[in-house]
Amino acid sequence: MEKKPLIDAGRIVNTHGVRGEVKIEVWLDSPRFLKSFKRLTLDSGEELNVLDAKVHKGFVIAKLEGVDDVNAAMRLKGKTLSVRREDAALPKGAFFLQDIINARVMDEDGNEIGTLVDILETPASNVYVVKGETEHLIPAVPAFIKKTDPDAGMITVHLIEGM
């Protein structure tokens, strides 16, 4: 599967203070992970250097180069931010969820179940929405997800009756 060079990372939801800082709703695993990036890309394609960032109440408060006052920050409200895949240092075996959307889902016997079309984020765990002849909702936990290969676009699962 072809991987996109940019990963959607969050959305600017508001300004913070009067010096041009922005409040970012984080779509990655954690605000701390987003805080580690030194550059972000706006949905317009414009790259912005991150001068400073801190985690505050589950959000990232960032000072972006060229955004020097509250009016400039306000113009960014509602914009989606992305990070460059090449800038991400993922732990071994980790992957971005967008890399497995449209992956083929097979059971342990090699039977095709369908295609992963969505991932629902729930408090207990993510749930994979797999569409084939029928729709399956599969909790993304080790008891059911046996192997994930984002490079091959394949997920092997263990299904139980009623799933």
Side-chain angles (χ1 to χ4, degrees), residues 148-163:
T148 302
D149 186 346
D151 293 327
M154 295 281 298
I155 301 171
T156 303
V157 299
H158 171 75
L159 294 182
I160 59 174
E161 192 173 328
M163 195 177 256

Side-chain angles (χ1 to χ4, degrees), residues 49-100:
N49 290 321
V50 179
L51 301 177
D52 188 40
K54 61 186 175 237
V55 176
H56 179 69
K57 296 183 179 179
F59 292 87
V60 169
I61 306 299
K63 175 68 176 144
L64 305 172
E65 187 174 42
V67 182
D68 298 319
D69 60 34
V70 70
N71 293 326
M74 185 59 80
R75 285 191 287 277
L76 298 177
K77 188 174 176 180
K79 300 279 186 188
T80 298
L81 294 169
S82 300
V83 296
R84 292 189 161 284
R85 180 182 296 279
E86 65 193 39
D87 294 343
L90 293 177
K92 185 176 174 82
F95 53 87
F96 290 106
L97 293 179
Q98 79 176 34
D99 292 344
I100 60 171

Side-chain angles (χ1 to χ4, degrees), residues 120-127:
L120 307 175
E121 295 184 33
T122 68
S125 70
N126 288 345
V127 176

Side-chain angles (χ1 to χ4, degrees), residues 116-155:
L116 179 67
V117 295
D118 197 9
I119 300 171
L120 307 175
E121 295 184 33
T122 68
S125 70
N126 288 345
V127 176
Y128 291 176
V129 179
V130 178
K131 289 205 178 181
E133 289 182 18
T134 61
E135 183 176 272
H136 297 273
L137 300 176
I138 304 171
V141 296
F144 300 113
I145 307 300
K146 295 304 178 182
K147 182 178 179 190
T148 302
D149 186 346
D151 293 327
M154 295 281 298
I155 301 171

